[in-house]
Amino acid sequence: MAHFTKATSVKDWFDQRLAIDKVEKVMMSEYWIPKNINFLWAMGMVLVVTFTLLLVSGIFLLMYYQPNVATAFDSVNYTIMREVDFGWLWRHVHGVAASVVFLIIYIHMFTGIYYGSYKKGREMIWISGMLLFVAFSAEAFSGYMLPWGQMSYWAGMVITNLFAGGSLHADGLVEWIRGDYVPAQAFLNRFFMLHVLLIPLAIMGLIGLHFAALRIPHVNNQDGEEIDFDAESKKYLAGDKAGSKVMRFANDFMAKDMMVVGIYLIFFFYLVFFHYDFAMDPVNFDPADGLKTPAHIYPEWYFLWSYEILRPFSTNIGLIAFAFAQVIFVLLPFLDRSPNTTPASRRGLFKIWFWAMLVDMIVLTAMGKLPPEGIFSTIGLVAALTFIGLWIVLPFITKMEKKA
Amino acid sequence: MKQNKEPLILAIVVFFTIVTYYLVEPFAHSQMHKHVESEGFEYKDLPELTKKGDATRGKDLVMGAGGCTGCHAITKAGMPAPMDAVTAAASYGVNPPDLSNAGSVYSAKFLASLIKNPAHALMVEHKFDASKGQMHPMVPFYGAGGDMDQEVADMVAYLESIAPKGEELTPAMAYETACGRCHANHYEKWTQIGTKPTFKKKQDGLAFDTKVLDYQDSLKAYMGKLPPDLSIYIRSRGEHYIKTFVENPQNYLKGTAMPRVGVNAEAADKVIEYLEDSGDTKRHEREAVGMNVMIYIIIFAIFAILWKKQVWRDLH
Ligand code: HEM
């Protein structure tokens, strides 16, 4: 057993038992961050804040939400929106945060791609990040079922149908997932459980993994510079704060994180109070009706690009393309064959690849919402093929890249 | 020191965000939904009223030769409904509305056209074609022996004279007169046969519900389907759609059974207000709280920026 002495202060009492000084150093004051990073590196903190908003608003909603096909719709739209004090506020915070969190996730992902932050020791950061993306997608989808509106019902129908696997006709699997032939009470109940318990737990665990994965390789920087963290941090601790290439996470970089969070929250609350419509589809304000198919069924904006990869093809090929799109980003660290951890701007063909991928995904997103007719379905098909093509050429163009 | 790239990066992020937003929201919606401009509830296809009406003569016609009170209540003038709502719906398909507020809810020229030819004014001639013997349940007025246009103008003048003026017409009155016989609104406790009272005895509540169901059966048979409950249509359809739909339902749903209701612009605003009260109840609170939160967050952001500046002074 360790040796304990009479505590000299409350802090000392805890320190002897929990090593809080050490923990504080490891996680905050001696967690070294390069100085040459820009505000895009604050997106992780913005994500933590947004997830906290989701969690807190979700807990409040949970006090009045009723997971029952007969009462779910009115428990949200009447009880929460009209009866409960500030229920509307929690709901709008929750809905807007669920949408904006994906905007930030995409910015965060493309930042990683641009600066090559998935390479050389940072693979686990990337992989845990992609798992978070999958978990958030499942969380958003399950949450979308809960108000039991027209889009909840029909998106639930269409997405669970994908599991039939086209000509595999795995209808048994679809029924197993739904707990019924069609989305009904059993379906709502299990998605409720997933949404408020299992997936949030998984998300919290994955956030822990993501952070742990960051600790050893440290965050990347905007110049692709290899930094000797030991030497630079000694310099800092010796008092040469200005000369050192690194800074403390807290308070140094955290001050900047908070600045970005502050500006982000202005944007966020502007959306919550004055522009929430984009995050709450009007069609979902009609109660679920299994006999009335909506004129247009489309997922929330953040799923549109992968939906559009599914749509222009025949069922089987579409499903294969869709499955490809779902997993391919995870493999990025292995498909990029170049050893260079430098910004895309200095990587020749990869620079073109990066911007082409970004634009292509925006095109896919737009086409995924539009009705698949005429020119839109042609553009959608070309964009889907481009997406696949870009991934196929990636290993080749990165292989050719010269060592920087 | 190297050049600061952050403004450029921010500009790029904002640019792609706005492009994506534009494509999936305004642009996609413009492609998916037909856009109909409002005509300001002018009903240009209907003839103008040419005669100046006289309310006293109008009263005699409405109560007498015009036959209106044979089917409609005018409670304001002491005329009760000839039959209760359920029985009326069993005979006509729908309960003819109380005409007490009609003068301020409906456009005058619409009322005149309606009295002469209901199926035409209501735009339901595809369902009620007199030449095929399909009679609209509201019998047209064929004249009381004098100048028919004058008689119609007199009746309209009478209905206007008894109707509430300006703000006296509440949003609920507008909705109940114009839409209430077909559309329930359970968030406001409105049923097609009136506001559901709170009953002490369970039996009374069940008896009321039974009446509503009986009424809805007749209405369904008459309309081909049960008109939807409009509790939160303000969120599912929005103000613009509802207004232009009410102005002319055929604009959006060709062949629909919903009649052109013929409300005037002011009454349409009242109906919208009622729908906002039921489906977007907390909008005033939202705006007020929103302003306060924005002020608070801006102050927070300013402090965060100052803190960052202070911490980073030693880092350069
Ligand atoms: C553990 C934290 C969470 C809890 C307890 C929670 C709880 C709830 C509850 C009770 C609802 C139903 C009420 C409503 O529809 O507004 C809901 C809806 C929803 N949630 Fe969550 N949630 C959590 C986290 C998240 C996260 C992380 C996301 C997405 C990234 C998310 C996305 C959604 C969506 C899209 C809806 C539908 C919102 C709407 O239509 O208004 N939730 N959530």
Side-chain angles (χ1 to χ4, degrees), chain B residues 33-113:
Chain B
H33 310 293
K34 180 170 159 189
H35 186 77
V36 177
E37 269 313 316
S38 170
E39 290 164 2
F41 296 90
E42 286 187 7
Y43 307 111
K44 294 209 183 73
D45 60 311
L46 299 177
E48 295 296 332
L49 270 177
T50 44
K51 300 274 163 48
K52 202 174 148 14
D54 176 288
T56 340
R57 270 183 292 157
K59 176 172 186 178
D60 293 338
L61 284 162
V62 167
M63 305 285 187
C68 317
T69 48
C71 302
H72 292 274
I74 313 182
T75 39
K76 193 121 181 221
M79 296 300 293
M83 37 185 147
D84 70 276
V86 179
T87 320
S91 356
Y92 306 117
V94 60
N95 184 25
D98 187 322
L99 298 180
S100 304
N101 307 326
S104 52
V105 167
Y106 301 104
S107 132
K109 74 193 245 195
F110 174 85
L111 276 178
S113 298

Side-chain angles (χ1 to χ4, degrees), chain A residues 28-44:
Chain A
M28 312 283 278
S29 60
E30 293 184 15
Y31 173 30
W32 300 102
I33 308 285
K35 273 187 191 165
N36 53 341
I37 62 180
N38 56 51
F39 76 89
L40 289 173
W41 271 268
M43 290 304 135

Side-chain angles (χ1 to χ4, degrees), chain A residues 11-166:
Chain A
K11 186 173 169 262
D12 182 48
W13 192 90
F14 277 107
D15 198 36
Q16 291 191 40
R17 286 153 184 84
L18 295 173
I20 49 174
D21 255 343
K22 182 98 195 294
V23 172
E24 194 274 337
K25 278 192 180 144
V26 170
M27 315 235 312
M28 312 283 278
S29 60
E30 293 184 15
Y31 173 30
W32 300 102
I33 308 285
K35 273 187 191 165
N36 53 341
I37 62 180
N38 56 51
F39 76 89
L40 289 173
W41 271 268
M43 290 304 135
M45 186 59 88
V46 170
L47 282 171
V48 170
V49 169
T50 314
F51 178 66
T52 309
L53 285 165
L54 280 167
L55 195 66
V56 172
S57 56
I59 290 170
F60 278 98
L61 294 174
L62 196 48
M63 288 193 246
Y64 290 94
Y65 174 75
Q66 299 174 16
N68 179 300
V69 289
T71 54
F73 187 82
D74 282 350
S75 77
V76 175
N77 289 305
Y78 183 77
T79 312
I80 292 175
M81 292 301 284
R82 281 187 58 152
E83 300 283 276
V84 177
D85 278 340
F86 295 103
W88 58 269
L89 177 59
W90 295 120
R91 183 176 190 211
H92 282 192
V93 165
H94 201 73
V96 170
S99 199
V100 170
V101 84
F102 280 92
L103 172 66
I104 308 296
I105 288 178
Y106 285 128
I107 295 175
H108 192 60
M109 270 173 70
F110 273 94
T111 304
I113 302 179
Y114 188 84
Y115 293 105
S117 310
Y118 47 86
K119 302 192 192 204
K120 272 211 256 177
R122 296 202 180 85
E123 294 86 349
M124 277 313 296
I125 308 177
W126 179 261
I127 292 170
S128 59
M130 278 314 297
L131 291 176
L132 272 169
F133 178 75
V134 173
F136 266 93
S137 302
E139 178 69 358
F141 176 72
S142 57
Y144 201 55
M145 299 298 104
L146 302 185
W148 209 240
Q150 271 291 70
M151 272 298 185
S152 304
Y153 184 91
W154 289 98
M157 180 80 99
V158 171
I159 300 299
T160 46
N161 254 337
L162 296 180
F163 289 88

Side-chain angles (χ1 to χ4, degrees), chain A residues 369-401:
Chain A
K369 184 138 180 187
L370 291 163
E373 292 151 7
I375 183 78
F376 298 141
S377 58
T378 316
I379 298 177
L381 177 66
V382 172
L385 291 170
T386 308
F387 180 87
I388 298 167
L390 280 171
W391 283 102
I392 294 175
V393 300
L394 180 64
F396 302 102
I397 60 169
T398 48
K399 188 98 202 157
M400 280 159 29
E401 214 172 284

Side-chain angles (χ1 to χ4, degrees), chain A residues 219-239:
Chain A
V219 295
N220 193 8
N221 59 70
Q222 63 178 356
D223 303 311
E225 188 180 344
E226 281 230 22
I227 294 177
D228 181 346
F229 282 89
D230 287 334
E232 295 298 330
S233 59
K234 283 211 186 73
K235 216 189 228 180
Y236 184 105
L237 288 174

Side-chain angles (χ1 to χ4, degrees), chain A residues 35 38-39 74 77 81-82 88 92 223 242 252 255-256 266 273 275-276 282 285-286 296 362 369, chain B residues 2 6 9 16 21 24-25 186-188 232 235-237 278 281-282 285-286 290 307 312 315-316:
Chain A
K35 273 187 191 165
N38 56 51
F39 76 89
D74 282 350
N77 289 305
M81 292 301 284
R82 281 187 58 152
W88 58 269
H92 282 192
D223 303 311
D252 299 349
K256 181 153 183 181
I266 296 176
F273 291 106
H275 207 102
Y276 47 83
F285 285 89
D286 277 344
H296 306 279
I362 292 176
K369 184 138 180 187
Chain B
K2 271 193 290 176
E6 290 196 319
I9 298 172
F16 282 112
Y21 169 77
V24 295
E25 283 291 308
H186 75 293
Y187 286 7
E188 293 290 322
I232 52 165
R235 299 267 330 235
S236 67
R237 301 296 191 282
S278 80
T281 323
K282 300 291 178 71
E285 187 182 36
R286 184 172 66 230
W307 186 46
W312 281 52
L315 294 175
H316 297 304

Side-chain angles (χ1 to χ4, degrees), chain A residues 177-395:
Chain A
I177 291 170
R178 291 180 184 159
D180 202 334
Y181 299 110
V182 290
Q185 185 60 48
F187 177 92
L188 179 58
N189 255 125
R190 62 186 56 187
F191 278 96
F192 173 67
M193 179 283 289
L194 289 173
H195 187 72
V196 306
L197 182 70
L198 196 55
I199 305 173
L201 276 182
I203 288 178
M204 287 184 270
L206 287 168
I207 291 177
L209 176 63
H210 199 56
F211 286 2
L214 269 161
R215 192 64 187 69
I216 295 169
H218 289 91
V219 295
N220 193 8
N221 59 70
Q222 63 178 356
D223 303 311
E225 188 180 344
E226 281 230 22
I227 294 177
D228 181 346
F229 282 89
D230 287 334
E232 295 298 330
S233 59
K234 283 211 186 73
K235 216 189 228 180
Y236 184 105
L237 288 174
D240 188 8
K241 281 188 175 190
S244 171
K245 284 184 176 170
V246 299
M247 59 185 156
R248 299 178 191 274
F249 167 63
N251 291 338
D252 299 349
F253 192 65
M254 204 165 75
K256 181 153 183 181
D257 268 344
M258 282 303 125
M259 176 179 97
V260 176
V261 166
I263 295 165
Y264 161 74
L265 287 179
I266 296 176
F267 164 71
F268 177 79
F269 282 110
Y270 162 73
L271 295 178
V272 167
F273 291 106
F274 305 106
H275 207 102
Y276 47 83
D277 274 351
F278 79 98
M280 317 186 90
D281 199 285
V283 182
N284 221 22
F285 285 89
D286 277 344
D289 181 347
L291 301 174
K292 206 167 107 197
T293 321
H296 306 279
I297 304 179
Y298 45 80
E300 288 291 274
W301 72 268
Y302 37 85
F303 294 139
L304 290 169
W305 67 270
S306 52
Y307 183 59
E308 185 58 20
I309 288 176
L310 172 87
R311 227 171 35 163
F313 302 105
S314 65
T315 319
N316 288 331
I317 298 175
L319 277 171
I320 295 168
F322 181 69
F324 173 84
Q326 295 306 304
V327 297
I328 198 67
F329 273 97
V330 185
L331 301 180
L332 178 59
F334 312 104
L335 293 174
D336 181 341
R337 309 299 305 158
S338 154
N340 302 331
T341 305
T342 39
S345 60
R346 304 209 308 253
R347 289 184 56 192
L349 283 176
F350 184 78
K351 175 181 176 182
I352 300 169
W353 188 91
F354 174 86
W355 293 108
M357 179 55 83
L358 178 64
V359 170
D360 192 50
M361 283 181 65
I362 292 176
V363 172
L364 283 168
T365 300
M367 296 308 133
K369 184 138 180 187
L370 291 163
E373 292 151 7
I375 183 78
F376 298 141
S377 58
T378 316
I379 298 177
L381 177 66
V382 172
L385 291 170
T386 308
F387 180 87
I388 298 167
L390 280 171
W391 283 102
I392 294 175
V393 300
L394 180 64

